[in-house]
Amino acid sequence: MRESTEATLGRLSIGAIDRIEALTVRLPFVKPFTISSATWTCKEALLLRIDGDGITGWGECVADPDPYYASETTSTAHHIIKDFLVPLLDPGITLAELERRFRRVRGHGMAKATIENALIDRIAKREGRPLHELLGYRRRPIPSGISIGIKETTEELIDAVGEAVATGYHRVKMKIKRGRDIEMVSAVRERFPDLPLMVDANGDYSLQDAEHLRQLDRFNLTMIEQPLSYSDIYEHSILQRQLATPLCLDESIHDLADARAAIALGSCRIINIKQGRVGGLLEALRIADFAVAHDVPVWSGGMDETGIGRAVNIHLQTAPAFSIPGDTSETRLYFHEDIVEPPVELDERGFIAVPRGAGIGVRINNEILKKVTLQTERLR
Ligand code: OSB
Ligand code: MG
């Protein structure tokens, strides 16, 4: 993050806090989503609502109910938020002070991001400014990419890719795993020779698979995301030296220190930044600026968020450092009905318009929210 941005944001006061509420919601997916380590049929998420001076801020935790993508879960996030992070919130402290206090809590970036997001939404609404403007960036159309899960058959996969291309997505990511890789990538590449295409293994391979993974080099992929373990940085540096295709790290990057280590070791040539994974918007911007200064481009990943988290990711991508289309796709791919309005839609050229309202700039549909809420708990 530019020093001026860091200072400006750091000085903002979190303001009044009258009430904090945690909600657990469950939204059925339009279709199941499969990665190498999990299949999800619905989005179960922890939401945080922070009220103060009549202004409401919303934050969405990107953790899943299970630890199959990351070690944090909705339950661990709820625990950490309720018992360790909320007690650190004093009205009127600055965002810089908030981050300083949060550092005592080791890890739990997803839990921290939930609170940070809700507070920043509330601050932006208080100032009557859209989130991207508060972060210091101008509106721009956001190019959209799509992440396609592992399919039962090659035909299903080709259909999904074809639909994505017809809709206008700027690049397609396909999930792979051991035994469901070369053949499927080959089929997609043959059918779509010029498509910007990448793969994401969610850590399914080991270094012993290096020779096997080298076969991917012939498909002109823009990158291979997280081929090795969710926690590894070192072995990716060995693998990267054996592959022509750029590696991209997702799971392994929890904060700026991880990004520095990965870049210094040559573990990746691209980074997938999920603000909800790295502790929030401020750390995401620090990683983005550090990476870009070291010639490592970044893009914004997604966690199948509801419209709350999706809106945050859209605002973040106005930062010029985000130079590659992200995993922010149209709402209709995930949900029949979402808890916010309006839904994310692509224009005829495959771009997303940044919401214009104050804060995250989308409205909560209370009727739908009520319908999908499993549990509500007052934390303050
Ligand atoms: O690895 O990027 C990933 C979804 C859930 C968990 C992990 C990942 C993903 C995606 C989908 O790829 C991103 C999205 O469409 O929001
Ligand atoms: Mg990924």
Side-chain angles (χ1 to χ4, degrees):
M1 185 171 13
R2 284 168 299 164
E3 238 173 89
S4 57
T5 313
E6 170 111 46
T8 312
L9 291 171
R11 271 195 300 271
L12 291 169
S13 160
I14 69 168
I17 297 177
D18 301 330
R19 183 186 176 93
I20 302 179
E21 229 171 42
L23 294 83
T24 307
V25 296
R26 186 188 289 154
L27 288 73
F29 278 145
V30 169
K31 48 183 186 302
F33 184 68
T34 298
I35 69 172
S36 64
S37 56
T39 293
W40 293 289
T41 57
C42 61
K43 177 72 199 177
E44 189 173 316
L46 178 70
L47 305 179
L48 207 67
R49 177 188 166 141
I50 301 183
D51 287 280
D53 284 343
I55 300 169
T56 303
W58 286 93
E60 172 173 350
C61 183
V62 301
D64 292 305
D66 55 73
Y68 302 152
Y69 163 78
S71 57
E72 289 187 82
T73 68
T74 38
S75 303
T76 69
H78 184 272
H79 164 54
I80 295 295
I81 288 171
K82 176 181 175 179
D83 297 330
F84 296 101
L85 298 176
V86 163
L88 299 176
L89 298 183
D90 287 319
I93 63 169
T94 62
L95 284 178
E97 172 64 10
L98 177 85
E99 281 198 299
R100 200 189 61 75
R101 293 183 183 192
F102 276 13
R103 269 200 289 277
R104 185 172 178 207
V105 174
R106 309 296 158 95
H108 296 285
M110 293 178 175
K112 290 171 181 170
T114 312
I115 297 189
E116 189 240 44
N117 282 195
L119 289 171
I120 291 187
D121 177 37
R122 211 192 134 274
I123 292 169
K125 283 170 175 159
R126 179 184 73 205
E127 311 227 326
R129 298 164 76 192
L131 177 56
H132 69 87
E133 206 183 290
L134 191 85
L135 298 177
Y137 304 104
R138 274 199 285 276
R139 284 177 68 78
R140 62 167 172 135
I142 306 301
S144 183
I146 185 174
S147 174
I148 296 178
I150 296 169
K151 303 291 184 192
E152 289 287 329
T153 65
T154 307
E155 296 70 57
E156 255 184 282
L157 173 64
I158 296 284
D159 283 353
V161 175
E163 206 181 307
V165 169
T167 308
Y169 285 100
H170 286 239
R171 66 107 178 99
V172 168
K173 158 166 139 183
M174 55 181 280
K175 294 286 187 178
I176 58 168
K177 66 174 182 179
R178 275 175 317 177
R180 308 295 300 280
D181 46 22
I182 311 300
E183 232 175 284
M184 305 197 95
V185 177
S186 174
V188 171
R189 189 36 106 204
E190 202 171 299
R191 177 73 185 72
F192 304 95
D194 302 320
L195 175 68
L197 180 67
M198 59 175 287
V199 295
D200 184 358
N202 289 104
D204 204 41
Y205 298 87
S206 73
L207 255 193
Q208 272 136 32
D209 298 312
E211 206 43 56
H212 176 77
L213 290 169
R214 267 157 71 111
Q215 297 178 77
L216 290 172
D217 274 345
R218 69 172 192 267
F219 300 119
N220 188 31
L221 302 175
T222 54
M223 69 194 88
I224 302 170
E225 184 175 340
Q226 198 75 33
L228 307 181
S229 173
Y230 66 91
S231 62
D232 173 75
I233 294 181
Y234 172 61
E235 291 194 341
H236 278 96
S237 76
I238 298 174
L239 181 63
Q240 180 66 92
R241 278 183 241 132
Q242 300 178 45
L243 294 178
T245 310
L247 297 185
C248 168
L249 288 180
D250 171 358
E251 284 91 326
S252 299
I253 307 296
H254 301 90
D255 54 23
L256 177 61
D258 286 340
R260 294 171 86 115
I263 292 170
L265 282 170
S267 306
C268 61
R269 297 193 190 132
I270 299 171
I271 294 178
N272 169 347
I273 297 179
K274 294 176 180 169
Q275 64 84 25
R277 179 191 76 230
V278 300
L281 289 160
L282 301 189
E283 190 73 355
L285 289 170
R286 280 185 201 108
I287 295 171
D289 286 356
F290 178 84
V292 170
H294 291 80
D295 294 319
V296 171
V298 305
W299 54 280
S300 169
M303 287 293 288
D304 305 321
E305 291 95 339
T306 77
I308 294 175
R310 195 173 304 279
V312 175
N313 294 342
I314 292 169
H315 283 277
L316 175 65
Q317 288 171 81
T318 59
F322 288 77
S323 59
I324 300 175
D327 272 347
T328 315
S329 312
E330 290 189 297
T331 304
R332 68 183 171 94
L333 281 183
Y334 308 85
F335 310 115
H336 292 294
E337 32 177 43
D338 194 1
I339 54 178
V340 312
E341 291 162 345
V344 172
E345 284 174 341
L346 298 198
D347 67 18
E348 57 296 330
R349 292 174 46 245
F351 289 91
I352 297 168
V354 182
R356 285 187 182 274
I360 57 175
V362 289
R363 294 175 302 278
I364 303 290
N365 180 323
N366 283 310
E367 207 173 301
I368 294 176
L369 178 63
K370 208 164 139 190
K371 204 166 80 183
V372 301
T373 299
L374 304 176
Q375 197 189 315
T376 306
E377 188 186 356
R378 184 154 180 192
L379 303 183
R380 187 181 287 186

